[in-house]
Amino acid sequence: ARVIVQRASVPDDFHRLNHFVTLTADVMFVNSVPFLVTVSRRIRLRTSEYLPSRTGPILGHSLKKVLNVYTRGGFMVNVILMDQEFEKVAPDMDCALVNTTAAREHVAEVEREIHTIKEGTRSTVSTMRKIGVESLPKQMIIHVVYFSVFWSNVPPAENGISDTWSPREIVLGQTVNYDLHCKEVFGAYVHGHHDREITNDMRPRTFAGIFFGTTGNLQGTVKVWDLQTGCVKKPKNFTSVPMPEHVVE
Protein backbone atom coordinates (compact mmCIF):
# COMPACT_ATOMS: atom_id res chain seq x y z
CA ALA A 1 0.00 0.00 0.00
CA ARG A 2 1.13 3.51 -0.76
CA VAL A 3 2.35 5.39 2.31
CA ILE A 4 1.14 8.99 2.45
CA VAL A 5 3.87 11.15 4.01
CA GLN A 6 2.30 14.21 5.57
CA ARG A 7 3.88 16.13 8.42
CA ALA A 8 1.94 18.33 10.80
CA SER A 9 2.32 21.97 9.78
CA VAL A 10 3.39 23.22 13.21
CA PRO A 11 4.41 26.92 13.12
CA ASP A 12 8.15 27.54 13.27
CA ASP A 13 7.70 29.76 16.33
CA PHE A 14 7.20 26.66 18.48
CA HIS A 15 10.63 25.39 17.49
CA ARG A 16 12.35 28.77 17.68
CA LEU A 17 10.99 29.74 21.11
CA ASN A 18 11.39 26.27 22.65
CA HIS A 19 14.55 25.10 20.92
CA PHE A 20 16.33 24.22 24.18
CA VAL A 21 14.51 21.55 26.15
CA THR A 22 14.74 20.58 29.81
CA LEU A 23 14.06 16.87 30.23
CA THR A 24 13.02 15.03 33.40
CA ALA A 25 13.52 11.27 33.75
CA ASP A 26 13.06 8.44 36.22
CA VAL A 27 12.60 4.68 36.39
CA MET A 28 9.01 3.44 36.71
CA PHE A 29 7.95 -0.02 37.85
CA VAL A 30 4.74 -1.73 36.72
CA ASN A 31 4.33 -5.15 38.35
CA SER A 32 8.10 -5.11 38.99
CA VAL A 33 8.84 -4.46 35.28
CA PRO A 34 11.17 -1.42 34.93
CA PHE A 35 10.68 1.36 32.37
CA LEU A 36 12.61 4.53 31.66
CA VAL A 37 10.08 7.39 31.67
CA THR A 38 10.86 10.90 30.47
CA VAL A 39 8.79 14.07 30.11
CA SER A 40 9.94 17.42 28.80
CA ARG A 41 9.10 20.70 30.46
CA ARG A 42 6.74 22.98 28.53
CA ILE A 43 6.37 20.64 25.53
CA ARG A 44 5.14 17.82 27.83
CA LEU A 45 6.09 14.95 25.53
CA ARG A 46 6.11 11.63 27.39
CA THR A 47 8.30 8.68 26.45
CA SER A 48 8.73 5.22 27.95
CA GLU A 49 11.00 2.30 27.22
CA TYR A 50 11.31 -1.12 28.80
CA LEU A 51 14.62 -1.67 30.61
CA PRO A 52 15.99 -5.23 30.53
CA SER A 53 18.33 -4.09 33.32
CA ARG A 54 19.16 -0.91 35.20
CA THR A 55 22.89 -0.85 34.52
CA GLY A 56 24.68 2.28 33.40
CA PRO A 57 25.10 1.27 29.72
CA ILE A 58 21.41 0.31 29.37
CA LEU A 59 20.17 3.52 31.00
CA GLY A 60 22.60 5.62 28.96
CA HIS A 61 21.59 3.96 25.69
CA SER A 62 17.88 4.50 26.40
CA LEU A 63 18.46 8.15 27.30
CA LYS A 64 20.40 8.80 24.09
CA LYS A 65 17.52 7.36 22.07
CA VAL A 66 15.21 9.93 23.68
CA LEU A 67 17.66 12.76 22.95
CA ASN A 68 17.76 11.67 19.30
CA VAL A 69 13.96 11.95 19.11
CA TYR A 70 14.13 15.63 20.09
CA THR A 71 17.09 16.26 17.80
CA ARG A 72 15.21 14.89 14.78
CA GLY A 73 12.31 17.18 15.70
CA GLY A 74 14.52 20.28 15.63
CA PHE A 75 15.00 20.60 19.40
CA MET A 76 18.04 20.29 21.65
CA VAL A 77 17.97 18.77 25.14
CA ASN A 78 20.50 20.73 27.17
CA VAL A 79 19.52 19.75 30.75
CA ILE A 80 18.28 16.42 32.15
CA LEU A 81 16.87 16.34 35.69
CA MET A 82 17.06 12.91 37.39
CA ASP A 83 17.54 11.27 40.77
CA GLN A 84 20.78 9.78 42.11
CA GLU A 85 20.32 6.47 40.30
CA PHE A 86 21.39 8.19 37.09
CA GLU A 87 24.73 9.51 38.34
CA LYS A 88 26.39 6.54 36.64
CA VAL A 89 25.27 7.76 33.20
CA ALA A 90 26.36 11.39 33.65
CA PRO A 91 29.88 10.90 32.20
CA ASP A 92 28.42 9.46 28.98
CA MET A 93 26.00 12.34 28.35
CA ASP A 94 28.23 14.61 26.26
CA CYS A 95 25.51 16.82 24.76
CA ALA A 96 23.44 17.53 27.88
CA LEU A 97 23.98 18.53 31.49
CA VAL A 98 22.85 15.79 33.87
CA ASN A 99 21.58 17.23 37.15
CA THR A 100 20.86 14.68 39.88
CA THR A 101 18.99 15.15 43.15
CA ALA A 102 20.10 14.74 46.74
CA ALA A 103 19.51 11.59 48.77
CA ARG A 104 15.82 10.62 49.08
CA GLU A 105 14.89 13.52 46.82
CA HIS A 106 12.88 13.13 43.61
CA VAL A 107 12.04 15.12 40.48
CA ALA A 108 8.43 16.10 41.06
CA GLU A 109 7.38 16.55 37.41
CA VAL A 110 8.30 13.06 36.24
CA GLU A 111 6.91 11.49 39.43
CA ARG A 112 3.52 13.06 38.63
CA GLU A 113 3.72 11.78 35.05
CA ILE A 114 4.47 8.27 36.29
CA HIS A 115 1.23 8.35 38.28
CA THR A 116 -0.62 9.51 35.15
CA ILE A 117 0.86 6.72 33.02
CA LYS A 118 -0.05 4.09 35.60
CA GLU A 119 -3.61 5.40 35.76
CA GLY A 120 -3.80 5.08 31.97
CA THR A 121 -2.56 1.49 32.03
CA ARG A 122 -5.06 0.53 34.74
CA SER A 123 -7.96 2.00 32.78
CA THR A 124 -6.79 0.24 29.61
CA VAL A 125 -6.74 -3.23 31.19
CA SER A 126 -9.90 -2.70 33.25
CA THR A 127 -12.07 -4.19 30.48
CA MET A 128 -9.90 -7.31 30.51
CA ARG A 129 -10.46 -7.69 34.25
CA LYS A 130 -14.21 -7.72 33.61
CA ILE A 131 -13.97 -10.85 31.43
CA GLY A 132 -11.93 -12.76 34.02
CA VAL A 133 -8.29 -12.00 33.19
CA GLU A 134 -6.56 -12.05 36.59
CA SER A 135 -2.85 -11.77 35.75
CA LEU A 136 -1.01 -10.03 32.92
CA PRO A 137 2.00 -11.59 31.16
CA LYS A 138 5.18 -9.54 30.96
CA GLN A 139 4.77 -8.83 27.24
CA MET A 140 1.30 -7.44 27.85
CA ILE A 141 2.55 -5.21 30.68
CA ILE A 142 5.28 -3.78 28.44
CA HIS A 143 2.95 -3.00 25.57
CA VAL A 144 0.08 -1.64 27.64
CA VAL A 145 2.53 0.95 28.97
CA TYR A 146 3.61 1.79 25.41
CA PHE A 147 -0.08 2.00 24.43
CA SER A 148 -0.90 4.36 27.28
CA VAL A 149 2.07 6.64 26.62
CA PHE A 150 1.36 6.74 22.86
CA TRP A 151 -2.20 7.98 23.33
CA SER A 152 -1.27 10.39 26.12
CA ASN A 153 0.79 12.33 23.55
CA VAL A 154 -2.06 12.61 21.03
CA PRO A 155 -4.19 15.44 22.52
CA PRO A 156 -2.73 18.89 23.27
CA ALA A 157 -0.92 18.80 26.60
CA GLU A 158 -2.44 20.48 29.63
CA ASN A 159 -0.13 23.33 30.71
CA GLY A 160 1.86 22.79 27.51
CA ILE A 161 3.03 25.30 24.92
CA SER A 162 -0.02 24.91 22.67
CA ASP A 163 -3.76 24.46 23.02
CA THR A 164 -3.96 23.27 19.40
CA TRP A 165 -0.92 21.13 18.66
CA SER A 166 -0.16 17.95 20.56
CA PRO A 167 3.32 17.04 21.88
CA ARG A 168 3.50 14.29 19.24
CA GLU A 169 2.81 16.77 16.46
CA ILE A 170 5.24 19.37 17.81
CA VAL A 171 8.22 17.03 18.27
CA LEU A 172 7.61 14.20 15.79
CA GLY A 173 5.56 16.11 13.23
CA GLN A 174 3.12 13.19 13.03
CA THR A 175 -0.65 13.22 13.41
CA VAL A 176 -2.93 10.33 14.31
CA ASN A 177 -5.49 9.04 11.83
CA TYR A 178 -8.58 7.33 13.25
CA ASP A 179 -8.92 4.86 10.37
CA LEU A 180 -5.23 3.88 10.54
CA HIS A 181 -4.42 3.95 14.25
CA CYS A 182 -7.73 2.99 15.92
CA LYS A 183 -8.45 -0.40 14.35
CA GLU A 184 -9.20 -2.30 17.57
CA VAL A 185 -9.09 -1.95 21.35
CA PHE A 186 -6.06 -3.05 23.34
CA GLY A 187 -6.30 -6.66 24.53
CA ALA A 188 -8.82 -7.78 21.90
CA TYR A 189 -8.58 -11.34 20.59
CA VAL A 190 -7.68 -11.34 16.90
CA HIS A 191 -6.40 -13.62 14.17
CA GLY A 192 -3.36 -12.12 12.47
CA HIS A 193 -2.93 -12.91 8.80
CA HIS A 194 0.24 -14.62 7.59
CA ASP A 195 1.64 -12.88 4.52
CA ARG A 196 3.27 -15.91 2.92
CA GLU A 197 4.98 -16.00 -0.45
CA ILE A 198 3.62 -19.49 -1.18
CA THR A 199 -0.16 -19.63 -0.77
CA ASN A 200 -1.10 -22.97 -2.37
CA ASP A 201 -0.09 -25.21 0.56
CA MET A 202 -1.97 -26.42 3.65
CA ARG A 203 -0.24 -24.23 6.26
CA PRO A 204 -2.47 -22.04 8.46
CA ARG A 205 -3.38 -18.67 7.00
CA THR A 206 -3.78 -16.94 10.39
CA PHE A 207 -2.43 -17.08 13.94
CA ALA A 208 -4.29 -16.44 17.20
CA GLY A 209 -3.12 -13.41 19.12
CA ILE A 210 -3.86 -10.42 21.34
CA PHE A 211 -4.07 -6.95 19.85
CA PHE A 212 -1.38 -4.64 21.26
CA GLY A 213 -2.23 -1.43 19.41
CA THR A 214 -0.42 0.45 16.69
CA THR A 215 3.30 0.90 16.16
CA GLY A 216 2.65 4.58 15.48
CA ASN A 217 4.10 4.61 11.97
CA LEU A 218 2.58 6.48 9.03
CA GLN A 219 0.62 3.54 7.59
CA GLY A 220 -0.82 2.37 10.91
CA THR A 221 0.93 -0.98 11.29
CA VAL A 222 -0.46 -2.99 14.20
CA LYS A 223 1.16 -5.20 16.86
CA VAL A 224 -0.28 -8.63 17.64
CA TRP A 225 1.05 -10.93 20.34
CA ASP A 226 1.22 -14.48 18.97
CA LEU A 227 -0.22 -16.73 21.69
CA GLN A 228 1.62 -19.79 20.39
CA THR A 229 5.14 -18.42 19.99
CA GLY A 230 5.01 -15.54 22.49
CA CYS A 231 6.43 -13.14 19.87
CA VAL A 232 4.98 -9.74 19.08
CA LYS A 233 4.33 -9.68 15.33
CA LYS A 234 3.30 -6.96 12.90
CA PRO A 235 0.80 -8.55 10.50
CA LYS A 236 -0.40 -6.65 7.48
CA ASN A 237 -4.04 -7.54 8.24
CA PHE A 238 -6.01 -9.13 11.05
CA THR A 239 -9.54 -10.28 11.83
CA SER A 240 -11.29 -9.55 15.14
CA VAL A 241 -13.06 -12.55 16.67
CA PRO A 242 -14.77 -13.20 20.04
CA MET A 243 -12.34 -14.20 22.79
CA PRO A 244 -12.71 -17.91 23.66
CA GLU A 245 -12.78 -19.11 27.26
CA HIS A 246 -9.48 -21.01 27.03
CA VAL A 247 -7.61 -17.79 26.17
CA VAL A 248 -8.96 -16.09 29.30
CA GLU A 249 -7.89 -19.04 31.42
Side-chain angles (χ1 to χ4, degrees):
R2 180 179 177 84
V3 178
I4 300 177
V5 180
Q6 184 177 1
R7 292 184 61 85
S9 55
V10 179
D12 292 337
D13 289 345
F14 287 101
H15 296 82
R16 180 172 54 84
L17 297 175
N18 302 278
H19 177 69
F20 294 103
V21 176
T22 298
L23 196 68
T24 62
D26 201 357
V27 175
M28 173 183 74
F29 292 91
V30 179
N31 287 12
S32 301
V33 180
F35 296 85
L36 174 68
V37 173
T38 70
V39 60
S40 52
R41 284 184 174 176
R42 293 179 54 78
I43 299 177
R44 313 301 297 174
L45 178 74
R46 301 184 182 105
T47 69
S48 65
E49 184 174 7
Y50 164 67
L51 296 172
S53 69
R54 295 158 62 194
T55 61
I58 296 295
L59 289 172
H61 177 70
S62 298
L63 270 175
K64 288 180 180 179
K65 290 171 64 175
V66 176
L67 300 187
N68 290 337
V69 169
Y70 285 94
T71 301
R72 288 194 297 268
F75 299 91
M76 178 179 177
V77 177
N78 59 347
V79 179
I80 309 176
L81 306 179
M82 299 176 288
D83 59 25
Q84 283 191 339
E85 181 179 4
F86 291 87
E87 285 189 349
K88 52 194 172 187
V89 306
D92 298 328
M93 295 290 108
D94 300 329
C95 57
L97 171 66
V98 175
N99 184 82
T100 56
T101 62
R104 301 187 62 80
E105 187 180 13
H106 301 281
V107 182
E109 292 120 312
V110 71
E111 293 289 340
R112 176 63 258 181
E113 296 300 329
I114 287 176
H115 287 295
T116 302
I117 293 172
K118 288 185 176 182
E119 289 169 0
T121 59
R122 282 193 291 268
S123 63
T124 301
V125 301
S126 61
T127 55
M128 303 181 66
R129 302 291 189 188
K130 293 179 181 179
I131 63 175
V133 177
E134 297 181 356
S135 61
L136 300 178
K138 184 177 180 179
Q139 280 282 24
M140 186 171 290
I141 293 172
I142 293 172
H143 287 275
V144 73
V145 171
Y146 292 165
F147 183 86
S148 176
V149 171
F150 174 85
W151 287 106
S152 70
N153 288 319
V154 170
E158 185 177 358
N159 300 322
I161 61 176
S162 175
D163 296 330
T164 304
W165 302 100
S166 69
R168 178 180 174 82
E169 292 170 326
I170 294 172
V171 178
L172 304 181
Q174 298 179 3
T175 59
V176 172
N177 184 291
Y178 177 83
D179 294 328
L180 295 178
H181 300 101
C182 304
K183 296 179 179 179
E184 187 53 276
V185 298
F186 184 92
Y189 182 69
V190 299
H191 283 178
H193 297 184
H194 288 298
D195 190 19
R196 304 189 189 278
E197 294 183 2
I198 300 176
T199 59
N200 61 348
D201 55 17
M202 298 301 294
R203 290 183 295 176
R205 296 291 184 265
T206 64
F207 63 92
I210 302 297
F211 187 80
F212 274 176
T214 177
T215 62
N217 63 5
L218 297 175
Q219 62 267 37
T221 302
V222 300
K223 299 180 293 184
V224 176
W225 181 40
D226 190 333
L227 294 177
Q228 183 175 5
T229 65
C231 299
V232 178
K233 298 181 179 179
K234 302 175 184 177
K236 186 176 180 181
N237 297 295
F238 68 92
T239 302
S240 300
V241 294
M243 184 174 291
E245 188 66 27
H246 72 271
V247 174
V248 177
E249 295 175 354

